[in-house]
Amino acid sequence: MSKIEICTDHTGKMEGIQSISTSTELNENCRKNALIKGSICSKCYAYNMCQMYKGLRERLKRNTATLTTKVLPMEDLPDVSDQTIFRLESFGDLNNETQLTNYLNIARKNPGTRFTLWTKMYKLAYEYFKKTKDIPDNFTLILSSLMVNLRMPLSKFKALKNGAGEALFAPGQLKVFTVYDKAYLESHLGEVDLNCGSRSCNTCRKCYAKNEVEEINEILKSDQSQVLVMEALEDPNKRAETADNLAALGTVFESI
């Protein structure tokens, strides 16, 4: 039986998707990034959530110990073949190459499941794939942009080759995820395609499907509710309901 603990009870946009994650608290890179002004890590929801929920905090710490200390035998890796898609790191990030090897081997053990890994450990991932020249067909790597409003380029990773001298990452296996705030979007109208609605990842699946989508863009969570309200007010079919909801919350609203 695998010692790796799987999160099966996500709520919100991750509802219906299972994941394996590690601790941000034990990840030196996560803690350094959290100190960078203007970084998405400075607004880390995962760290704050773990301070609120002790059970989650301890589970992620145990996963860090299990996944980063040694390459696990295939028989000790979880069987998640009943899942069509699976997320790697919904809370933490890569710590070392051992962890990345274990994640890739989980994908190899479950070839019928599509796995996606989000990471800001660009150098670690780049050097690893440059050296190994191998990635399972059912594995997608998403470079999670560190800075709000600044997309991480994919060019260096696109240039990587496999053992046959061909592009290592096939279409759909390499993407970038960037968060933008409302002020930037308003000053750069039409320049950013907000193609992540953050409502249901299980329904959307842009990050998981082997498709032509390379850039995934989301609005900062703290700005999102305001934008959703404005969109609803612009829709005649939703305007009355939205006005009623705002009134119930004690919000001043004038019909427009």
Side-chain angles (χ1 to χ4, degrees):
M1 182 177 179
S2 176
K3 292 182 179 179
I4 300 171
E5 299 181 54
I6 298 173
C7 182
T8 61
D9 55 355
H10 282 291
T11 58
K13 72 175 188 176
M14 280 285 292
E15 184 175 356
I17 298 177
Q18 296 185 8
S19 72
I20 294 171
S21 296
T22 53
S23 170
T24 60
E25 193 173 350
L26 297 182
N27 189 310
E28 182 180 352
N29 197 62
C30 286
R31 303 315 323 137
K32 287 180 179 178
N33 287 344
L35 300 176
I36 300 174
K37 186 177 180 181
S39 72
I40 193 64
C41 296
S42 66
K43 311 172 190 297
C44 184
Y45 76 93
Y47 180 83
N48 294 330
M49 188 178 291
C50 288
Q51 304 313 303
M52 295 170 57
Y53 300 103
K54 183 179 178 181
L56 173 63
R57 183 182 185 186
E58 295 307 313
R59 178 197 301 173
L60 298 180
K61 285 183 175 181
R62 289 193 295 270
N63 272 351
T64 296
T66 301
L67 288 160
T68 65
T69 52
K70 68 175 182 177
V71 174
L72 299 169
M74 295 297 278
E75 60 268 23
D76 289 347
L77 299 175
D79 180 345
V80 294
S81 55
D82 60 337
Q83 302 297 303
T84 56
I85 59 175
F86 197 96
R87 177 163 179 168
L88 299 169
E89 292 304 343
S90 55
F91 290 100
D93 204 338
L94 294 173
N95 290 265
N96 55 32
E97 289 190 355
T98 300
Q99 182 184 355
L100 181 51
T101 298
N102 283 324
Y103 280 159
L104 291 164
N105 283 342
I106 292 172
R108 293 182 177 105
K109 182 172 180 174
N110 298 272
T113 303
R114 284 215 59 82
F115 292 84
T116 298
L117 167 66
W118 275 253
T119 187
K120 297 179 182 68
M121 291 289 286
Y122 316 125
K123 184 177 180 180
L124 187 158
Y126 176 79
E127 294 297 336
Y128 181 93
F129 287 114
K130 181 181 179 181
K131 175 175 60 178
T132 63
K133 302 180 185 297
D134 185 45
I135 185 171
D137 290 339
N138 59 329
F139 192 96
T140 293
L141 179 69
I142 291 187
L143 304 185
S144 182
S145 298
L146 175 61
M147 303 303 293
V148 176
N149 303 325
L150 184 62
R151 180 176 61 84
M152 175 68 186
L154 295 173
S155 53
K156 283 190 68 174
F157 283 82
K158 282 186 173 183
L160 290 174
K161 305 296 182 182
N162 61 21
E166 301 167 339
L168 175 63
F169 294 95
Q173 284 193 284
L174 180 65
K175 305 174 190 279
V176 59
F177 189 98
T178 310
V179 176
Y180 295 87
D181 62 29
K182 184 170 174 285
Y184 182 92
L185 293 170
E186 288 177 339
S187 63
H188 295 76
L189 291 175
E191 295 180 18
V192 179
D193 177 18
L194 287 180
N195 54 358
C196 174
S198 297
R199 292 172 177 84
S200 172
C201 296
N202 202 11
T203 300
C204 175
R205 300 196 172 198
K206 284 188 183 77
C207 295
Y208 300 87
K210 205 169 182 180
N211 51 32
E212 300 297 326
V213 178
E214 286 190 352
E215 298 180 19
I216 315 262
N217 303 308
E218 180 185 33
I219 188 169
L220 190 65
K221 287 179 174 62
S222 58
D223 290 343
Q224 196 172 92
S225 58
Q226 182 181 358
V227 171
L228 291 175
V229 167
M230 295 307 298
E231 288 178 349
L233 292 177
E234 292 171 359
D235 184 344
N237 298 320
K238 297 179 181 178
R239 191 176 299 165
E241 179 184 356
T242 304
D244 290 342
N245 291 339
L246 291 175
L249 293 171
T251 304
V252 176
F253 173 77
E254 295 181 2
S255 181
I256 58 175

